[in-house]
Amino acid sequence: MVPSWRDQARGNSGSRDDRLTFSCQCHLGEQLQVFFGAWCELVNDDDEMLKFRIVGDEEVYWRKDYISLSSPMAKSCLGKRVDDEIVVHTPLGIKTWYIIKIEYNKDDPAFLMSLPRSRTL
């Protein structure tokens, strides 16, 4: 395979692994969306902050900073981006939060799934 001009400019050989790395670097500047496996930081109007990771039901019991994918908070966050408003219906009433940060562990397959699919390299 002949390396593309992007690969040549970056010094990549054009191999599949190099293209994957380049693709991830290219998209990191774009806003990620919240999906399964995301680390989310939220703030509300009272300056209360939350940080949690959205995981499966079985994983919740191991860490206090994990929330279940089926929880109202996680459902409200899914598909959102930084600066989006999150409205959560709780037993104490409606709570409004704002996403201030989204992160993924780069070794996690959820990270690759969260990348925008609008461009191909």
Side-chain angles (χ1 to χ4, degrees):
M1 170 189 247
V2 176
S4 71
W5 66 269
R6 289 184 183 120
D7 290 328
Q8 292 172 4
R10 296 247 185 220
N12 294 337
S13 65
S15 72
R16 185 168 188 247
D17 290 339
D18 286 340
R19 284 189 315 234
L20 180 60
T21 301
F22 178 73
S23 175
C24 291
Q25 290 170 349
C26 178
H27 289 297
L28 286 178
E30 297 181 19
Q31 286 193 345
L32 299 176
Q33 287 182 273
V34 176
F35 292 109
F36 181 85
W39 281 98
C40 303
E41 283 187 43
L42 285 68
V43 66
N44 66 13
D45 293 328
D46 297 326
D47 288 332
E48 296 174 312
M49 293 188 72
L50 289 176
K51 182 176 180 176
F52 54 82
R53 184 175 189 202
I54 300 174
V55 297
D57 293 334
E58 296 81 25
E59 299 173 84
V60 170
Y61 301 105
W62 302 108
R63 303 259 311 252
K64 293 189 183 284
D65 55 350
Y66 282 8
I67 66 169
S68 169
L69 182 64
S70 59
S71 71
M73 178 66 84
K75 287 180 180 180
S76 296
C77 289
L78 292 176
K80 303 291 188 191
R81 299 175 191 272
V82 171
D83 293 330
D84 283 352
E85 181 180 277
I86 306 300
V87 177
V88 182
H89 297 272
T90 71
L92 300 175
I94 296 174
K95 302 287 183 179
T96 303
W97 296 86
Y98 305 93
I99 298 178
I100 58 173
K101 190 174 188 180
I102 301 169
E103 292 181 316
Y104 286 89
N105 295 340
K106 298 197 178 32
D107 297 336
D108 193 333
F111 170 70
L112 293 176
M113 292 175 58
S114 72
L115 295 173
R117 300 187 196 309
S118 60
R119 283 195 267 159
T120 58
L121 296 176

Coordinates of all heavy atoms in Angstrom, one line a residue, residues 3-6 8 12 16 21 24 30 40-41 60 63 66 70 73 76 91 97-98 114 120-121:
P3 N 1.7 5.0 1.0 CA 1.2 5.9 2.0 C 0.6 7.1 1.5 O 1.0 7.6 0.4 CB 2.5 6.3 2.8 CG 3.5 5.2 2.4 CD 3.1 4.7 1.1
S4 N -0.5 7.6 2.1 CA -1.2 8.8 1.7 C -0.3 10.0 2.0 O 0.7 9.9 2.7 CB -2.5 9.0 2.4 OG -2.3 9.3 3.7
W5 N -0.7 11.2 1.5 CA 0.1 12.4 1.8 C 0.1 12.7 3.2 O 1.0 13.3 3.8 CB -0.4 13.6 0.9 CG -1.8 14.0 1.2 CD1 -2.9 13.6 0.7 CD2 -2.2 15.0 2.2 NE1 -4.0 14.2 1.2 CE2 -3.6 15.1 2.2 CE3 -1.5 15.8 3.1 CZ2 -4.3 15.9 3.0 CZ3 -2.2 16.6 3.9 CH2 -3.6 16.7 3.9
R6 N -1.1 12.4 3.9 CA -1.1 12.6 5.4 C -0.1 11.8 6.1 O 0.5 12.2 7.0 CB -2.6 12.3 5.8 CG -3.6 13.3 5.4 CD -4.9 13.0 6.0 NE -5.9 13.9 5.6 CZ -7.0 13.6 4.9 NH1 -7.2 12.3 4.6 NH2 -7.9 14.5 4.5
Q8 N 2.6 10.5 4.9 CA 4.0 10.9 4.6 C 4.3 12.2 5.4 O 5.4 12.3 5.9 CB 4.1 11.2 3.1 CG 4.0 9.9 2.2 CD 3.9 10.2 0.8 OE1 4.1 11.3 0.3 NE2 3.8 9.1 0.0
N12 N 4.5 8.5 8.8 CA 3.9 7.2 9.0 C 4.1 6.4 7.7 O 4.1 6.9 6.6 CB 2.4 7.3 9.3 CG 2.1 7.9 10.6 OD1 2.9 8.0 11.5 ND2 0.9 8.5 10.8
R16 N -1.6 -0.4 8.6 CA -2.9 -0.3 9.3 C -2.8 0.3 10.7 O -3.5 1.1 11.1 CB -3.5 -1.7 9.3 CG -4.9 -1.7 9.9 CD -5.6 -3.0 9.7 NE -7.0 -2.9 10.0 CZ -7.5 -3.5 11.1 NH1 -6.8 -4.3 11.8 NH2 -8.8 -3.4 11.3
T21 N -3.5 4.9 14.5 CA -3.0 5.9 15.4 C -3.2 7.3 14.8 O -3.7 8.2 15.6 CB -1.5 5.7 15.6 OG1 -1.3 4.4 16.1 CG2 -0.9 6.7 16.5
C24 N -6.9 8.4 15.2 CA -7.2 8.8 16.6 C -6.6 10.2 16.9 O -7.3 11.0 17.5 CB -6.6 7.8 17.6 SG -7.4 6.2 17.5
E30 N -11.6 17.0 18.1 CA -13.0 17.1 17.9 C -13.7 16.7 19.2 O -13.1 16.0 20.0 CB -13.5 16.3 16.8 CG -13.0 16.7 15.4 CD -13.5 15.8 14.3 OE1 -14.5 15.2 14.5 OE2 -12.8 15.9 13.3
C40 N -17.1 11.0 32.7 CA -17.8 12.3 32.5 C -17.6 13.1 33.8 O -17.6 12.7 34.9 CB -19.3 12.1 32.4 SG -19.7 11.0 31.0
E41 N -17.4 14.4 33.5 CA -17.3 15.4 34.6 C -18.5 16.4 34.3 O -18.6 16.9 33.2 CB -16.0 16.2 34.7 CG -14.9 15.4 35.3 CD -13.6 16.2 35.5 OE1 -13.7 17.3 35.9 OE2 -12.6 15.6 35.2
V60 N -20.7 -1.9 38.5 CA -21.0 -0.8 39.4 C -20.5 -1.1 40.9 O -20.0 -0.2 41.6 CB -22.5 -0.5 39.4 CG1 -22.9 0.5 40.5 CG2 -22.9 0.1 38.0
R63 N -16.6 0.0 42.2 CA -16.1 1.4 42.4 C -17.2 2.3 42.7 O -18.3 2.3 42.1 CB -15.4 1.8 41.1 CG -14.3 0.9 40.6 CD -12.9 1.4 40.9 NE -12.6 2.8 40.6 CZ -11.9 3.2 39.5 NH1 -11.3 2.3 38.7 NH2 -11.7 4.4 39.4
Y66 N -18.3 4.7 39.6 CA -18.9 4.1 38.4 C -20.4 4.2 38.6 O -20.9 4.1 39.7 CB -18.5 2.6 38.3 CG -17.1 2.3 37.8 CD1 -16.2 3.3 37.5 CD2 -16.8 1.0 37.5 CE1 -14.9 3.0 37.0 CE2 -15.5 0.7 37.0 CZ -14.6 1.7 36.8 OH -13.4 1.4 36.3
S70 N -27.8 1.8 32.9 CA -29.2 1.9 33.0 C -29.7 2.9 34.0 O -30.9 3.1 34.2 CB -29.8 0.5 33.4 OG -29.3 0.1 34.6
M73 N -29.0 9.0 35.3 CA -27.9 10.0 35.0 C -27.2 9.5 33.7 O -27.0 10.3 32.8 CB -26.9 10.1 36.1 CG -25.8 11.0 35.8 SD -26.2 12.7 35.6 CE -26.2 13.3 37.3
S76 N -29.3 10.0 30.6 CA -29.4 11.4 30.2 C -28.1 11.9 29.5 O -28.2 12.8 28.7 CB -29.7 12.3 31.4 OG -30.9 12.0 32.0
P91 N -35.8 11.3 42.5 CA -36.8 11.3 43.6 C -36.9 12.7 44.2 O -38.0 13.1 44.8 CB -36.4 10.3 44.6 CG -35.5 9.3 43.8 CD -34.8 10.2 42.8
W97 N -27.6 19.5 35.0 CA -26.2 19.4 35.0 C -25.6 19.8 33.7 O -26.4 19.8 32.6 CB -25.7 18.0 35.3 CG -26.1 17.5 36.7 CD1 -27.3 16.9 37.0 CD2 -25.4 17.6 37.9 NE1 -27.3 16.7 38.4 CE2 -26.1 17.1 38.9 CE3 -24.1 18.1 38.2 CZ2 -25.7 17.0 40.2 CZ3 -23.7 18.0 39.5 CH2 -24.4 17.5 40.5
Y98 N -24.4 20.2 33.6 CA -23.7 20.5 32.3 C -22.4 19.7 32.2 O -21.6 19.6 33.2 CB -23.4 22.0 32.3 CG -24.6 22.9 32.6 CD1 -24.9 23.3 33.9 CD2 -25.4 23.2 31.5 CE1 -26.0 24.0 34.1 CE2 -26.6 24.0 31.8 CZ -26.9 24.4 33.1 OH -28.0 25.1 33.3
S114 N -16.4 6.0 20.2 CA -16.9 7.4 20.5 C -16.4 8.4 19.5 O -16.9 9.5 19.4 CB -16.4 7.8 21.9 OG -15.0 8.1 21.9
T120 N -13.2 10.0 6.8 CA -12.4 8.8 6.7 C -11.0 9.3 6.2 O -10.9 10.3 5.5 CB -13.0 7.8 5.6 OG1 -13.2 8.5 4.4 CG2 -14.3 7.3 6.2
L121 N -10.0 8.5 6.5 CA -8.7 8.8 6.1 C -8.2 7.9 5.0 O -8.6 6.8 5.0 CB -7.7 8.8 7.3 CG -8.0 9.8 8.4 CD1 -7.1 9.6 9.5 CD2 -7.8 11.2 7.8

